[in-house]
Amino acid sequence: MATRSNSTFSVLGSDLAIKGDIKASADLHIDGSVEGDIACSSLVQGETSTVTGAIKAESARLAGTVNGSITARELVILKSAKINGDVFYDALTIEQGAQVEGRFAHRDAKKAAAAQPQAGKPELQQVAS
């Protein structure tokens, strides 16, 4: 039985196809295909893997195909990766040859954009006549 520790990990082999969201407290290695959102501590994606959905991880190392947004503190996109979606990161490494169709934004910029409408709202002032 897996415990909540950084020393455990789960592997989804290349023969697996999963439809549904995945939430893992352990590290996750995916070689198969996933149709759904993934949330985990650390994600390693194999070259033959396909993910259709959003990925949220503290660290992610992507080598396969991703169709969806990616949010990670530390993100490595390997040369075999094909990403179709927006990427939000704190630290980013992209190998030459990787294909990305989407926008890149630092996670601080994402938070600032979410707070922008409230911060930029003008206040009404009454003028004495």
Side-chain angles (χ1 to χ4, degrees):
M1 178 180 228
T3 60
R4 288 185 177 248
S5 166
N6 288 337
S7 63
T8 62
F9 65 94
S10 298
V11 177
L12 301 177
S14 59
D15 60 329
L16 287 176
I18 295 177
K19 286 187 180 184
D21 297 344
I22 297 174
K23 186 174 184 181
S25 58
D27 297 345
L28 188 59
H29 183 109
I30 298 176
D31 284 323
S33 66
V34 175
E35 201 173 307
D37 296 343
I38 298 173
C40 62
S41 173
S42 178
L43 174 66
V44 176
Q45 181 193 35
E47 288 185 24
T48 60
S49 172
T50 301
V51 175
T52 303
I55 294 174
K56 289 186 181 180
E58 282 297 305
S59 67
R61 186 174 180 88
L62 307 176
T65 301
V66 177
N67 294 302
S69 66
I70 301 165
T71 303
R73 187 173 52 80
E74 294 179 26
L75 178 61
V76 176
I77 302 175
L78 301 176
K79 63 183 174 185
S80 58
K82 293 181 178 128
I83 312 294
N84 293 306
D86 295 342
V87 178
F88 303 97
Y89 62 92
D90 284 346
L92 176 65
T93 303
I94 304 175
E95 283 188 348
Q96 184 175 350
Q99 298 176 19
V100 180
E101 293 290 331
R103 295 176 292 178
F104 287 92
H106 197 270
R107 288 195 326 173
D108 288 342
K110 181 181 177 184
K111 291 176 189 173
Q116 185 81 16
Q118 297 170 352
K121 189 175 182 181
E123 293 184 22
L124 295 176
Q125 295 180 355
Q126 201 169 28
V127 179
S129 45

